[in-house]
């Protein structure tokens, strides 16, 4: 939670600086760009959800060799995806900005920011991979240190780059900090005292049986994330169709993307904790403690949502002023949005805690179906209905977001309590046997040793 809260504060600082130095069009540009970037990140990080399911289960069963093998294959897979999707994102950036109905002045700020982020995609991918791996293996302190270092570096870079370069300076700062931190994190994996250790003699080649397992458990989460963020992109289209689209997009970027992240980012931390607790205890054959862990995580989230929601209701204008919001129309729209989000926070934090419990136990398909219904079908359907009947206004869009969060919460809790996840099996294909032949023709001579793989797997003892 602390790591994700710090990461959320980093985004808040970025928005506050560009709001003061460039204006609210820069806030809209960064908000629109991140909505697009997150679609790509979520697909790539689906591999890490599969990795976390396997790592947590093997850590709980005290099988460190399997933990190391899984993380190394996740590293290779993520690197390949980052290269391919980063290049595709650079090419597709102008069309993606057209897709979200970004105003021309917003597009002018967003395009260089978006392309720079895609070029530096590798650093962010490695950071997310390292954080997920260490957390699932039972070491939440290393991700916290990496997150603090990345936030501090980003702030330092941005203090220098944003006043000099404007909106794109925020992208340069994020890319530089994530790359430096990821290089250090990968070096940590080579240290013998690390909970995850890439040893010198380990097989460095791709293991497609493990990669298949990563996608088996992770791909539903990736599709879920893509569906949710495509829903967010389409929601931006509705916001872009409003009469004061730039003002509404700026209010949405600050209110939903940044201020609401005080709830969502900490809840994502609880989701990761719930997944680790559930997965490790299921691996240790203690499902009762897995259930209790998810319940406790949701209670912690409700406390955070209550505190942040009270701030949204009591001091909304002060919160918006942090981002340089001085336009009366933007402030009015943002204040209305924060009122809805003060209620939404209670539902989303419980939903994410129980989503973590489902994913950690290996049930990654149920959250996919729940998210498509609650985060895409329900809010977009309501916006379409309002647009066709009464006419679309900002308040109707914020209401649709709230109803979607309520739906997700109810379905996630109900699905977890069914306990269908108790029967999910997690394992890797066994390694191939090594047939060793020792040939020594004369006494005292150096033996000649040859090794070859057996045609089948090692029999289980």
């Amino acid at each position: 939670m602390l790591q994700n809260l710090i990461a959320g504060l980093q985004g808040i600082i970025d928005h506050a600086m560009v709001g003061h130095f460039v204006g609210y069009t820069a806030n809209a540009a960064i908000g629109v760009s991140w909505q697009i970037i997150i679609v790509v990140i979520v697909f790539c990080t689906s591999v890490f959800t599969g990795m976390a399911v396997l790592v947590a289960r093997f850590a709980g069963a005290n099988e460190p060799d399997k933990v190391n093998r899984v993380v190394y294959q996740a590293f290779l897979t993520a690197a390949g995806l980052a290269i391919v999707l980063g290049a595709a994102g650079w090419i597709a950036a102008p069309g993606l900005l057209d897709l979200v109905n970004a105003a021309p002045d917003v597009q002018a700020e967003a395009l260089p920011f978006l392309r720079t982020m895609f070029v530096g995609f590798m650093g962010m991918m490695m950071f997310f991979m390292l954080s997920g791996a260490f957390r699932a293996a039972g070491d939440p302190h290393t991700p916290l240190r990496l997150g603090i270092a990345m936030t501090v570096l980003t702030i330092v870079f941005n203090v220098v780059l944003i006043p000099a370069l404007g909106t794109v300076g925020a992208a340069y700062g994020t890319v530089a900090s994530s790359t430096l931190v990821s290089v250090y994190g990968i070096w940590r994996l080579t240290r013998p005292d690390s909970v995850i250790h890439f040893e010198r003699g380990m097989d460095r080649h791709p293991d497609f049986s493990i990669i298949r397992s990563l996608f088996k458990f992770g791909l539903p989460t990736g599709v879920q994330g893509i569906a949710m963020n495509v829903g967010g992109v389409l929601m931006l289209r509705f916001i872009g169709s409003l009469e004061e689209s730039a003002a509404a997009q700026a209010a949405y970027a600050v209110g939903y993307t940044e201020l609401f992240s005080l709830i969502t980012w900490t809840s994502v931390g609880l989701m990761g904790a719930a997944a680790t607790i559930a997965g490790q205890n299921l691996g240790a054959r203690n499902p009762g403690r897995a259930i209790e862990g998810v319940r406790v995580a949701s209670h912690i989230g409700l406390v955070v949502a209550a505190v942040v929601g009270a701030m949204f209701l009591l001091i909304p204008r002060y919160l918006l002023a942090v981002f340089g919001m001085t336009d009366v129309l933007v402030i009015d729209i943002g204040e209305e949005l924060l009122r809805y989000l003060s209620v939404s926070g209670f539902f989303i934090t419980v939903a994410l805690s129980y989503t973590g419990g489902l994913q950690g136990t290996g049930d990654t398909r149920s959250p996919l179906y729940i998210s498509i219904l609650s985060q895409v079908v329900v809010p977009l359907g309501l916006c379409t209905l309002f647009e066709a009947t009464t006419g679309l206004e900002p308040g109707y869009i914020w209401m649709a977001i709230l109803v979607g969060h309520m739906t997700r919460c109810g379905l996630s809790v109900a699905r977890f309590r069914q306990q269908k996840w108790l029967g999910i099996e997690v394992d890797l294909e066994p390694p191939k046997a090594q047939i060793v032949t020792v040939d020594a023709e004369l006494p005292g001579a150096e033996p000649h040793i040859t090794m070859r793989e057996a045609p089948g797997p090692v029999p289980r003892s």
Side-chain angles (χ1 to χ4, degrees):
M1 286 178 66
L2 184 57
Q3 176 196 348
N4 286 337
L5 179 61
I6 291 169
L9 290 174
Q10 171 189 317
I12 289 174
I13 291 169
D14 285 356
H15 266 281
M17 290 186 67
V18 297
H20 283 288
F21 284 102
V22 183
Y24 72 83
T25 56
N27 294 122
I30 290 181
V32 166
S33 298
W34 269 109
Q35 192 69 57
I36 295 169
I37 293 165
I38 289 173
V39 174
V40 183
I41 289 178
V42 166
F43 174 74
C44 294
T45 54
S46 66
V47 176
F48 309 150
T49 300
M51 172 194 70
V53 171
L54 297 171
V55 167
R57 191 72 69 92
F58 297 143
N62 195 25
E63 297 179 303
D65 288 342
K66 289 184 177 181
V67 169
N68 295 336
R69 288 170 58 199
V70 167
V71 175
Y72 181 75
Q73 295 303 317
F75 165 76
L76 294 181
T77 306
L81 286 173
I83 293 171
V84 173
L85 295 177
W90 168 278
I91 296 170
L96 294 172
L97 290 172
D98 288 333
L99 179 66
V100 297
N101 271 348
D105 53 345
V106 173
Q107 286 203 33
E109 296 286 342
L111 183 58
F113 179 92
L114 186 58
R115 282 183 158 170
T116 301
M117 294 296 289
F118 277 124
V119 168
F121 205 43
M122 183 71 74
M124 286 187 293
M125 288 295 299
M126 291 300 110
F127 172 75
F128 289 125
M129 186 276 294
L130 292 163
S131 298
F134 281 114
R135 189 182 302 111
D139 175 13
H141 301 290
T142 297
L144 174 60
R145 288 192 289 268
L146 294 176
I148 292 174
M150 184 167 135
T151 300
V152 171
L153 286 172
T154 301
I155 293 170
V156 171
F157 285 135
N158 286 356
V159 166
V160 177
L161 295 174
I162 290 176
L165 301 175
T167 308
V168 74
Y172 289 143
T174 301
V175 168
S177 62
S178 61
T179 301
L180 290 173
V181 167
S182 296
V183 169
Y184 170 77
I186 293 169
W187 174 80
R188 280 285 304 158
L189 294 176
T190 65
R191 307 302 299 163
D193 59 340
S194 174
V195 67
I196 303 168
H197 182 209
F198 291 171
E199 299 175 349
R200 289 178 179 270
M202 71 183 298
D203 186 2
R204 305 287 180 179
H205 296 91
D207 186 329
F208 291 102
S209 65
I210 296 179
I211 292 173
R212 281 194 298 271
S213 295
L214 296 177
F215 280 102
K216 172 186 174 183
F217 290 106
L219 197 55
T221 302
V223 176
Q224 169 195 344
I226 289 174
M228 288 174 58
N229 285 282
V230 167
V233 170
L234 294 176
M235 187 66 73
L236 282 173
R237 284 184 62 85
F238 282 111
I239 298 173
S241 68
L242 296 171
E243 184 178 353
E244 299 291 344
S245 62
Q249 285 181 333
Y252 181 82
V254 169
Y256 190 82
T257 308
E258 297 305 326
L259 290 173
F260 195 53
S261 71
L262 294 172
I263 297 175
T264 56
W265 276 101
T266 50
S267 298
V268 167
L270 289 168
M271 182 175 73
T276 299
I277 292 293
Q280 287 193 0
N281 280 283
L282 205 54
R285 303 186 183 281
N286 191 352
R289 194 168 184 270
I291 296 171
E292 181 66 9
V294 174
R295 186 185 67 82
V296 170
S298 68
H299 289 180
I300 296 171
L302 287 172
V303 173
V304 174
V307 173
V308 177
M311 293 170 59
F312 289 175
L313 291 174
L314 298 174
I315 53 170
R317 291 180 178 266
Y318 291 103
L319 295 175
L320 295 170
V322 172
F323 300 89
M325 295 290 183
T326 57
D327 186 274
V328 175
L329 180 61
V330 175
I331 292 174
D332 288 342
I333 295 174
E335 190 174 3
E336 182 184 39
L337 171 60
L338 291 179
R339 286 198 295 270
Y340 280 94
L341 294 181
S342 66
V343 180
S344 253
F346 292 103
F347 294 100
I348 197 62
T349 193
V350 173
L352 288 174
S353 295
Y354 278 86
T355 296
L358 290 168
Q359 292 177 345
T361 56
D363 182 2
T364 54
R365 291 183 181 273
S366 295
L368 165 62
Y369 305 137
I370 291 171
S371 296
I372 290 175
L373 176 62
S374 63
Q375 303 299 111
V376 179
V377 176
V378 169
L380 295 181
L382 287 174
C383 287
T384 303
L385 178 63
F386 290 137
E387 188 176 46
T389 54
T390 61
L392 200 59
E393 296 180 6
Y396 294 152
I397 297 177
W398 315 150
M399 183 189 301
I401 292 172
L402 170 59
V403 174
H405 289 162
M406 294 172 66
T407 305
R408 186 178 184 187
C409 176
L411 293 176
S412 298
V413 173
R415 180 59 178 173
F416 184 81
R417 287 179 174 174
Q418 288 179 335
Q419 298 185 20
K420 300 283 187 180
W421 41 265
L422 285 172
I424 297 175
E425 295 291 335
V426 173
D427 204 353
L428 302 180
E429 293 182 10
K432 297 217 177 259
Q434 295 287 335
I435 298 177
V436 182
T437 303
V438 182
D439 180 18
E441 295 183 356
L442 298 173
E446 288 291 329
H448 176 66
I449 302 176
T450 59
M451 301 179 67
R452 61 186 176 86
E453 283 191 350
V458 181
R460 293 184 180 274
S461 60

